[in-house]
Amino acid sequence: MKKALLIMMAALSALAGCKTTGKAGDSAAEPKDTTVMARFVPERMDDFVFENDLIAGRFYGKALEGNPTSPGIDIWVKLPGKLVANEWYAKAMEDGGYYHRDHGGKDCYKVAVSLGGGASAVMLDGKLHFPATNYRSYDILSSEPDSAVFVLHYPEWEVGTGRISLDKKVTVVGGTYFCKVEDTYTFSGLDSDSLTVAAGIFRHPGQGTIEEEISTPDRIAIWEKASDQSVEPEDGMIGVAVIVPGASYTGLSTGDDHSIAVRTIASGETFSYMFGSCWSKGSIKDADSWFELVKSTTVK
């Protein structure tokens, strides 16, 4: 009965063009029969999941804070074609490890406390500073057959002498390995009237990471072995990339644990960028093919 109610509420809230606002404990927003979906997942620890016909991933919500508290994007690898996230979540209600095993894709990308596969963070004194909480509320601005737009809200937290809040707007469209992000950082009390922000990719130690600094200075990409071997041996490689128009630096973060692209913004200014991923068991088989796709991707 509970599952049926969730499905019914999700379908009603996903009518084309609707705006849905919510917080932890609210119902889901789930488009049906489309090439794109994005919704709150009350049945699983306040996840917010997004997916198109090529990629999938999720952001962590309040219920998962401490395990971990992280802004990182958790990449889910999948074969091109159908949407799978709702099926995986439903099966995980009976078998908690379901989506960590390969069913034409899986959750095998280890995020921990990091930027994961393309989140952004404040940089102060050369170090990344993550939000103090996971996202706490959301708005679904639109849900169309081939696109979805949502905003995740991270409440104000302290960084150095200042206070910062983040609204993360994500646009997901069908037929592409990339999503667009428009992050609005609002801040006060800092020693400067500008803020350095980095979009980045977590590099997994021991996974044979290959990095490519693309010829234009606004994008960076990696290719590495799948990272989480806690449930079954991993198969295949993962490509991840970020593209930050106007980036002043692309390369390694302090500590060499992230590949980042950096730009400076004013309070309330939008930090726009794109993140993308692929799996070698899908259509992109090798590092060269992934790097070429990243190079040729048009910033929107």
Side-chain angles (χ1 to χ4, degrees):
M1 178 66 70
K2 182 178 179 180
K3 290 184 184 178
L5 180 61
L6 284 171
I7 292 171
M8 179 184 70
M9 294 175 72
L12 289 172
S13 66
L15 295 175
C18 74
K19 177 177 178 179
T20 304
T21 300
K23 57 185 182 299
D26 288 351
S27 61
E30 179 185 0
K32 294 182 64 177
D33 303 323
T34 71
T35 60
V36 169
M37 66 87 72
R39 73 173 180 95
F40 173 62
V41 188
E43 66 270 35
R44 199 278 173 187
M45 302 294 284
D46 295 346
D47 286 353
F48 198 100
V49 68
F50 63 91
E51 181 180 15
N52 69 10
D53 48 326
L54 297 174
I55 63 173
R58 61 179 171 175
F59 293 89
Y60 298 142
K62 180 180 179 181
L64 206 60
E65 287 177 6
N67 190 32
T69 303
S70 173
I73 300 171
D74 185 21
I75 295 169
W76 286 10
V77 299
K78 55 178 274 188
L79 298 177
K82 69 175 185 177
L83 302 184
V84 299
N86 286 330
E87 175 187 339
W88 292 1
Y89 274 117
K91 296 291 181 61
M93 295 292 288
E94 308 298 331
D95 173 7
Y98 182 85
Y99 51 72
H100 291 284
R101 295 189 291 272
D102 191 351
H103 304 279
K106 62 194 297 187
D107 173 16
C108 63
Y109 182 87
K110 189 71 172 179
V111 175
V113 182
S114 77
L115 297 179
S120 76
V122 172
M123 288 193 71
L124 187 64
D125 298 326
K127 297 181 180 179
L128 295 171
H129 292 262
F130 302 148
T133 68
N134 292 341
Y135 88 87
R136 285 294 184 85
S137 62
Y138 66 90
D139 293 308
I140 296 177
L141 303 184
S142 67
S143 178
E144 303 293 342
D146 60 354
S147 68
V149 183
F150 60 91
V151 182
L152 303 180
H153 303 287
Y154 293 78
E156 191 175 70
W157 73 98
E158 292 185 1
V159 178
T161 61
R163 300 191 66 83
I164 300 174
S165 62
L166 168 63
D167 294 327
K168 178 179 290 291
K169 179 180 177 182
V170 181
T171 300
V172 187
V173 299
T176 175
Y177 288 93
F178 284 86
C179 297
K180 180 180 180 181
V181 183
E182 297 165 89
D183 282 346
T184 302
Y185 284 91
T186 304
F187 57 90
S188 62
L190 296 175
D191 295 334
S192 172
D193 58 2
S194 62
L195 188 69
T196 300
V197 178
I201 308 160
F202 184 54
R203 302 161 58 92
H204 296 86
Q207 297 304 99
T209 304
I210 302 170
E211 181 174 79
E212 177 82 356
E213 293 185 45
I214 312 303
S215 55
T216 54
D218 64 350
R219 57 196 72 191
I220 194 163
I222 70 166
W223 182 264
E224 65 180 19
K225 296 177 184 176
S227 61
D228 185 356
Q229 300 180 8
S230 61
V231 176
E232 67 180 13
E234 305 307 338
D235 187 12
M237 307 288 285
I238 296 176
V240 192
V242 292
I243 302 173
V244 179
S248 59
Y249 168 80
T250 55
L252 296 178
S253 64
T254 301
D256 297 346
D257 56 350
H258 284 83
S259 297
I260 57 174
V262 176
R263 188 166 69 84
T264 299
I265 60 172
S267 180
E269 181 182 355
T270 300
F271 179 82
S272 298
Y273 70 99
M274 298 172 68
F275 71 86
S277 63
C278 72
W279 188 32
S280 65
K281 292 182 71 174
S283 300
I284 300 176
K285 304 295 186 183
D286 54 55
D288 287 344
S289 298
W290 174 236
F291 295 150
E292 284 301 316
L293 177 63
V294 176
K295 291 177 185 177
S296 65
T297 295
T298 302
V299 177
K300 299 179 180 179

